[in-house]
Amino acid sequence: MYDIAREHLRTVRDLHRFAVSRFNTAELFYGHGTTEAWDEAAYLILATLKLPIDRLEPVFDAHLLPEEIAQVLDIIQERVVTRKPAAYLTKEAYLGEFKFYVDERVIVPRSFIAEILFNDGLEPYVEHPELVTRALDMCTGSGCLAILMAHAFPDAAIDAIDLSPDALDVAELNIIDYSLGDRIDLMDSDLFEAISDETYDLIISNPPYVDAHSVEELPPEYLHEPEMALGSGEDGLDITRRILAEATKHLNPRGVLVVEIGHNRDELEAQYPMLPFVWLTTESGDGFVFLLTREMLVEAGL
């Protein structure tokens, strides 16, 4: 089929229609930057052709060179055959207007915390950006949230930690790309282990939080991501519990902890009825990211 397509497809419109049909037939799963075949096809085509990824219409009827057609068909076929997330095929991922290098050493960046940082969603608990002078990104992965924190809090020195040396190598590439090496310090650490004496005005974390049952049911696309970046015990909260147990001693007075936990709100609240979780609002709802101040943790006995 792909050999025939090389002979007959000529325009971006042709290739886009072909890609959407192939993706739908293959029943691909989305969730690494797009949510449907139409957008996934548009992104892969535009990224492969080195065109702006948000401007499909102006080039829809552009005729392509044979080598361009071959490149696009190759990546369409690779997406279908390997079921790799598109980000791993293009080696890039976006959070808002921020672009990051990614490969299979890190989870594809996607975080409700990014949206919260873009929209000043930590108010009133963090009233002024200049009040954050020391910050921590725990389980940093590709370094994307540490980089977003550096832009949101321009006076902050940031520690970014991860247990995976491979992930830290990728994070370093992104930090260099954004010229933030003087503000973001990367560390290999099992949560707070390497920073036992450090305290922060803000700690954020997008840790692994998929429960064991859901890990077993994950679509093939997710199986290309590092396993350690997804699962977190039977109920998905193993790492979150460790963070809550240690966070108080690493927060400055009036310090703030922000953690993403996916769909585990009910389970978390049942385990910690004494904690007054503040659930931050996102476009997808208000049950995916919680905020706690140091004072809230202390009053709860943590």
Side-chain angles (χ1 to χ4, degrees), residues 210-253:
V210 183
D211 63 69
H213 173 73
S214 297
V215 167
E216 293 177 356
E217 301 295 324
L218 286 173
E221 279 80 356
Y222 288 91
L223 302 182
H224 290 282
E225 296 186 293
E227 183 178 355
M228 67 181 295
L230 297 171
S232 185
E234 189 65 28
D235 62 1
L237 293 172
D238 280 4
I239 294 178
T240 301
R241 280 189 288 269
R242 291 179 58 195
I243 292 172
L244 288 172
E246 299 184 58
T248 302
K249 65 182 180 182
H250 294 284
L251 285 167
N252 292 325

Side-chain angles (χ1 to χ4, degrees), residues 16 20 23-24 30 36-43 56-57 60:
H16 186 263
V20 172
F23 293 173
N24 285 334
Y30 311 98
E36 60 180 13
W38 182 278
D39 290 342
E40 184 99 340
Y43 166 69
L56 179 63
E57 289 296 330
F60 225 7

